[in-house]
Amino acid sequence: MRNRVIITSALGGLMLFAAGCTERQFQPGFEDDGIAPSISIVKSSGDTLRIDDGLSFGVSAADNLGLKNLTIEFSGGYNAAMDTVFTSAVTAAAFNVTVDLAGNTTAGGIVYITATVVDGNNNSASAEDSLFLINEDALTVSIERPSAGALTSQGRQIVVELNAQHSAGVQLVGYLVTGIVTDSNSQGYSSPLPTDTTYVDTLTVPGNTSEGIFSIQGFVRDSTGRSATSSTVDVTVQSVTNDTDPPIVSFTINQRVEVDDSITVSATDPGGIQQVGWYALLRDDTTQQVGGASASVGGGTLTDVSNTWPLNFAFPPTNLPRFVVIRAWAEDANGNRDTTANSAGVSGGPQAAPGAAAASSDTVLVVHGTTTPLPDGGSVIDGIYNRNLNEVYLTNVDLGRIDVFQVSDTSFVSGGISVGSRPWGIALWPQNVTTGANADTVVVANSGGTDLSIVDLQLRREVRRHSLPNFVVDEVTTALDESTGAIQLKFTRHDFSDRPQYLGMTCRPGAGACNADGITAVYSTTPTIDQDQLPLRGSLRWENLTSATPSSHFFWEHAEVLPSPEFDTLRVFVDRGPTIPMDTILSTACGVMVNMEKLVFRETTFVRNSGDFSHALAGEGGVIEAETFAQAVGFNAATGVATSTCSGTLFIGATPITFTGPIERDQGITPSFRVSDFISNTATIVNSIALNFNGLTNLVRTTDSVYVLNEALRLKGLISEEGTVAGMDLNFDHNFEAGIGGTTGTFGGSGDPDDRLVFLAVADAEVEVYDTFFFEKVTTLPIRDPIIGPLRVARLANGEQILVGVTAYGVVTVQLPAISNVFPTEGWGTSP
């Protein structure tokens, strides 16, 4: 089955291509045209894409007279080619390219893109770029060495280094050499097969080889016999007699780097390389060297070498971000090196090229943070920080475990902690609602089952698994039996999925400390297709984890409506197993009517608790459907549950029949009229939620804005940050009530405005910091890679705060600098 490629032209046409197809070309013919066209690749969806989304990018091309042909080639993690022809005189064109990849594809990793455009007189231009394609089942092999454009000569050697990866294991990896040199070699593996392996070999160029080019291509095979190949690298053989030319030097480094990232310097020379190095200068003070290293390599026998060093920049967080100029150099076996004058005036020394400038240079941005890859891969859903042990706990849904990240040395605990099936949400076990103290215990929602895992973080193991009940929810209507004149009750049963999804932990307060029998998990459930008349609808519930008498609640209060013939009465039972009698939470006798569309929650529903465990907030993440908008529901653990008995009456003919039943009303759940008010003021979907320490400031992030709400979900302001990125958290010491500015101006309340901040991940690898009272941006913290998963802000024992986020490349930890909140700014015309 071919992968489908769609190119949508800004000129209004839609063209379909299959990999490798060609078409007859139309040549307008501009004989005197010597001006080359221009072409660029635009990555509107970012550098990192998931396999389910396929490859997506844009191409723009232009020419002074007319475009003729456009070719796009893919190599590396995906190999294909496509071309098209312009059948009319077009001087400018823009295309959106989308490659839909099959569900069982082994494509993945770095995909290199080369776009080439040709004009009517056969002038051409090319643009190159790359994307990273996330695919856990990818079978990939890449050539790490030699580098593109490598040179060699007769009797010299070339190092061939390959990297092969596959989640189910690599059985064979090797390379083929074709051209003026022919050779091959490979390495096989036996059980256990490696999932990520590097193969290094040395290729000797025969002494009788003629001048010309040979190509190297890597190959890999997995345990099922499937195979994949790498892109090719061409090596040029040159005869060396009197070598006076310096080496060709390049280096590989990200445009954004963390202080402990690495740099790879590559050099090639047909006479052999004996030394390579690099150094870094401040861009705004090029007399100040801030890093560098050098090494002797190969002894002059290797003609293409690469060496990698850690940057080891010593910038403190308060001095970031910083621009630095990176320069690389190399010396061949005959002592030739770059002789360009060093305009910066940097002397030789052990790091720099002695007495000379570098052959290659670039400016990079040193950003905040340190990124640590996930040790065994998988997918992270949720995370929480425990200041007691200075650790972050991440739910890895694919591996069925908690990954434990130690902040002190930015390392992961080997093997993590195994929990139940498909762990999703995670929260700390509360101890004190005044100080926000927590036990060294977390609660994990196992979305693949119907239970919660209680995990001891000191022992590094699950200590018990708490079974969750099944709730039976009935809609009750009345109907008149015309033959008897009796009013009959009609029940419509709804059986929701009981699989927990996200959760927050709360406790009933008792003189500061949490009541021993009042530790409560507020959780959402995982929607499934088979849910009667309400498919893909979840629910909200709470479960007391410490009461001697089982105590559970199904959220219905937020959906209650005034009596009306348009709505039905609700009845709710809780079923804890075949040997335990059912409990009635809400009896038909109470006549409580609900709006079923508001009772249920579409798709993912986020839940989080406040820092002091007094409150929880839920936000509905489902799509907007026919004027039905997402809900937010709050929960205050301190208010408690009111239990009473209701009486109802039915008539059989003229004879009244009285019946009774209980009602358990949680007084801490946001009432329906406030939920409706939230919907009226937002009318959108929810991407993520956050609460501050005391639970009196609630944030709901949507695709258009961040909504700042008080405890009653009353809208207090909008932060204008658009996009689909969800990561969000508040300053750990944020203890403000929404709408009260603290010591700012004359708005009342207490608190330092420097704590009145929220941190928002954005798509262009930055974290933006906003004031939650004036709703304006305070500062921006650039990081290396965009945060695509959860973002959490935590306070260390010494009072410093850190930001922890999940990127496509692992966990980034940012030591937050002191941030001064500039709001309110001095008014216009105000005297200093």
Side-chain angles (χ1 to χ4, degrees), residues 16-37:
L16 299 181
F17 297 86
C21 70
T22 58
E23 297 182 32
R24 184 183 175 200
Q25 299 179 354
F26 173 76
Q27 183 172 337
F30 300 103
E31 295 183 0
D32 297 328
D33 179 18
I35 300 175

Side-chain angles (χ1 to χ4, degrees), residues 467-488:
S467 295
L468 296 171
N470 171 42
F471 285 94
V472 180
V473 179
D474 294 332
E475 282 183 271
V476 186
T477 57
T478 57
L480 177 65
D481 188 331
E482 295 181 356
S483 61
T484 64
I487 297 178
Q488 297 179 331

